[in-house]
Amino acid sequence: MAAIDCGTNSIRLLVADLPEPAAGPQAPLTDLSRRMEIVRLGQGVDRTGRLAPEAIERTRAALAGYATEIEKLGAEQVRMCATSASRDASNADEFRDMVRRTLGVAPEVVTGDEEARLSFTGAVRGLPADAAEPYLVVDIGGGSTEFVVGTRTGGVEAAVSMDIGCVRMTERHLAGDPPTAEQVAAARADISAVVDRALAAVPGRDAATLVGLAGSVTTVVAIAQDLPGYDPERIHHARVSYDQVAQVTTDLLAKTSEQRLTIPVMHPGRADVIGAGALVLQVIMERAGMSSVVASEHDILDGIAWSLA
């Protein structure tokens, strides 16, 4: 099976085999291929309400490579889910037509609620035993952040998607390089108000464990661990404290994009927006009263794959 997650900042592919039934309900998928490209599909959407032609073309080029990989590995089922940017854009039909021509299947522009549920499914399978329930799972994307509360056995109890993400907050508030104190304060105020609304909609403050998903979280956790390079095995299920997240966020927001590029774990396509992503994570931890966060490399992409089972 092949799963594709097309978000505001990146497009990702997972080709995997399902575990054998005898392996049990928490057995992992067998990865055949995981790929990620930064395409910035949501470039300017918060301002213009439209997908930029150059962003659609970047996405098409990445998708063409994925189509070749899917065919080579012989995946029998393909599901592509498109999220925040393609929900918000007035010219989303152009994007959907491009996907049909390139991939051979239509993208599903999932609702925020479905995005949250897929993220939760991908994240909670295989969590370590010391990750106490219930969980607050937060998926910090480029255009939106999903907040999901639930348990491993009972599933999702409540979910909400909010329009805060690393690309959207950077474009809206953090124009400076590095951003000014006034810009950071405006971003923090905006994020705090939205997070408070999210936590009024889902009982996140009652959760025992915060699980963080997507590139902003995994990059912050990698920096907090002072890794010499991006290492998914060391990042997956690593737990870092609020104090570590706050220090990394402060350091990132004080650096220029060029200086962030010198950080060993930094993906070049994330350097200009990682400060906003880190700030979203820090504010969530503050407003939810969480002393630590567990990072997961498994997220909506894995949830899409499991949905094909």
Side-chain angles (χ1 to χ4, degrees):
M1 67 184 69
I4 297 173
D5 167 40
C6 184
T8 300
N9 197 43
S10 65
I11 184 168
R12 300 179 299 148
L13 168 70
L14 169 61
V15 183
D17 288 332
L18 285 170
E20 294 296 327
Q26 293 301 318
L29 297 165
T30 300
D31 291 9
L32 303 178
S33 178
R34 277 186 191 261
R35 293 174 57 179
M36 186 272 285
E37 300 284 344
I38 300 288
V39 295
R40 197 63 59 84
L41 180 62
Q43 170 193 333
V45 167
D46 189 57
R47 176 177 54 84
T48 68
R50 295 178 60 82
L51 297 171
E54 60 270 29
I56 294 176
E57 172 55 26
R58 289 193 299 267
T59 306
R60 186 208 61 76
L63 201 55
Y66 290 177
T68 300
E69 183 86 344
I70 289 167
E71 182 177 9
K72 181 181 74 174
L73 294 173
E76 296 177 355
Q77 299 181 79
V78 180
R79 185 183 185 193
M80 176 177 171
C81 292
T83 53
S84 177
S86 44
R87 279 199 303 267
D88 300 340
S90 61
N91 61 335
D93 287 347
E94 296 176 28
F95 168 75
R96 288 192 288 270
D97 290 344
M98 177 277 290
V99 172
R100 287 191 193 95
R101 293 192 304 270
T102 307
L103 190 64
V105 301
E108 300 175 45
V109 183
V110 296
T111 65
D113 181 71
E114 175 68 2
E115 185 177 351
R117 292 173 188 277
L118 289 168
S119 295
F120 185 84
T121 298
V124 302
R125 283 180 177 266
L127 277 175
D130 65 350
E133 300 178 296
Y135 309 120
L136 168 60
V137 175
V138 294
D139 186 344
I140 302 173
S144 65
T145 295
E146 284 63 58
F147 297 73
V148 198
V149 173
T151 62
R152 198 192 312 262
T153 54
V156 172
E157 296 175 7
V160 66
S161 179
M162 308 299 285
D163 283 341
I164 49 172
C166 60
V167 175
R168 194 184 298 270
M169 291 297 100
T170 299
E171 291 184 350
R172 187 178 294 177
H173 296 294
L174 304 180
D177 189 25
T180 66
E182 291 77 13
Q183 290 170 348
V184 173
R188 175 182 284 277
D190 192 358
I191 295 165
S192 296
V194 175
V195 170
D196 284 346
R197 291 201 302 273
L199 294 175
V202 302
R205 294 186 176 93
D206 298 331
T209 301
L210 174 66
V211 183
L213 315 182
S216 288
V217 175
T218 57
T219 301
V220 168
V221 169
I223 295 170
Q225 294 183 92
D226 198 24
L227 297 183
Y230 195 91
D231 185 344
E233 291 187 3
R234 291 186 63 182
I235 296 166
H236 188 47
H237 293 164
R239 185 188 291 269
V240 300
S241 69
Y242 168 80
D243 288 343
Q244 289 174 290
V245 171
Q247 185 61 59
V248 170
T249 301
T250 298
D251 291 346
L252 287 170
L253 289 170
K255 287 177 164 49
T256 65
S257 294
E258 185 174 351
Q259 289 170 329
R260 294 172 193 163
L261 283 170
T262 66
I263 300 171
V265 301
M266 187 66 62
H267 188 288
R270 206 176 297 284
D272 60 332
V273 296
I274 186 60
L279 185 60
V280 171
L281 176 60
Q282 182 185 354
V283 171
I284 290 171
M285 295 180 76
E286 289 172 357
R287 309 306 283 187
M290 293 291 179
S291 62
S292 65
V293 59
V294 176
S296 177
E297 287 279 345
H298 295 176
D299 50 28
I300 187 174
L301 188 61
D302 300 76
I304 295 167
W306 282 111
S307 75
L308 293 170

